[in-house]
Amino acid sequence: MPQQRLIEINELILEKPPGFVESTIAHEIGHWVLHVNQDEADGTTQQLELNLGNFGKTASDVEEPFVCRGASADTKIASIEWQAQYFASCLLMPRCVLEEKRKGRDLTKWSNLYKLRDEMGVSISNLTNRLQEFDWIYIPKGTREIYPGKDAANGQQRLFG
Ligand SMILES: [Zn+2]
């Protein structure tokens, strides 16, 4: 609810694995920062659309809560959700922190990834997605094999393929 500065989250997430709560909260903060007009929520400005001649809108339209829809087939919603998830990932796993933590560690070992996950307080899929973004590791879809980057994986596949 933007005007109450309230983010509501389903209590069921408390039963999810560690890291899920943090990830969800960071995701919702992402929506707040990226997709909610805070000035409007403060009541200091009106929604831009109102000034552009959308006179059909009433005050109650503006008060409507922003709804996080998670995964969606709708490309507009999917891109908004992707942005919030990417924001969460940057917030929870800043590159500079990971740069420090990867030093002297073999990231192609699951045991090291699980330790890093615990240190960062995220879920293992959050972590592996983030590390793959930097191409520090590469896990081919549907496998549990960790390569030290995409090139390494391709080289390996050529050797055996
Ligand atoms: Zn969302």
Side-chain angles (χ1 to χ4, degrees):
M1 298 290 275
Q3 294 199 327
Q4 293 166 31
R5 306 174 152 275
L6 176 68
I7 295 175
E8 283 183 284
I9 294 170
N10 192 321
E11 279 172 25
L12 289 174
I13 68 162
L14 294 174
E15 292 160 20
K16 301 271 183 172
F20 198 89
V21 175
E22 291 83 348
S23 169
T24 304
I25 292 171
H27 176 105
E28 298 310 326
I29 293 172
H31 280 312
W32 173 259
V33 172
L34 301 171
H35 306 132
V36 171
N37 180 339
Q38 286 103 8
D39 289 341
E40 184 191 316
D42 285 342
T44 52
T45 63
Q46 288 210 307
Q47 197 168 26
L48 196 58
E49 287 168 75
L50 284 177
N51 304 329
L52 293 174
N54 192 350
F55 300 115
K57 280 207 160 198
T58 61
S60 66
D61 289 335
V62 180
E63 285 164 30
E64 264 172 34
F66 181 93
V67 180
C68 168
R69 280 167 268 212
S72 170
D74 182 305
T75 48
K76 188 167 173 243
I77 296 171
S79 103
I80 283 175
E81 294 306 330
W82 182 89
Q83 289 164 13
Q85 200 50 46
Y86 186 68
F87 180 97
S89 152
C90 297
L91 187 67
L92 295 173
M93 296 169 284
R95 185 177 180 135
C96 58
V97 173
L98 291 175
E99 293 269 15
E100 273 308 305
K101 291 198 177 280
R102 77 190 280 222
K103 283 180 189 161
R105 271 181 168 167
D106 182 356
L107 294 181
T108 64
K109 295 221 156 48
W110 281 106
S111 58
N112 288 333
L113 293 186
Y114 280 109
K115 263 181 238 156
L116 189 52
R117 171 202 65 178
D118 293 343
E119 287 171 27
M120 302 301 292
V122 294
S123 72
I124 194 69
S125 67
N126 289 157
L127 179 67
T128 52
N129 285 337
R130 184 74 167 148
L131 297 177
Q132 288 185 93
E133 239 171 70
F134 302 139
D135 199 36
W136 292 350
I137 61 168
Y138 175 65
I139 305 172
K141 280 226 154 59
T143 76
R144 297 263 307 161
E145 263 162 278
I146 311 169
Y147 294 94
K150 258 206 162 111
D151 284 349
N154 287 336
Q156 197 87 337
Q157 275 158 15
R158 249 179 263 126
L159 271 182
F160 296 104

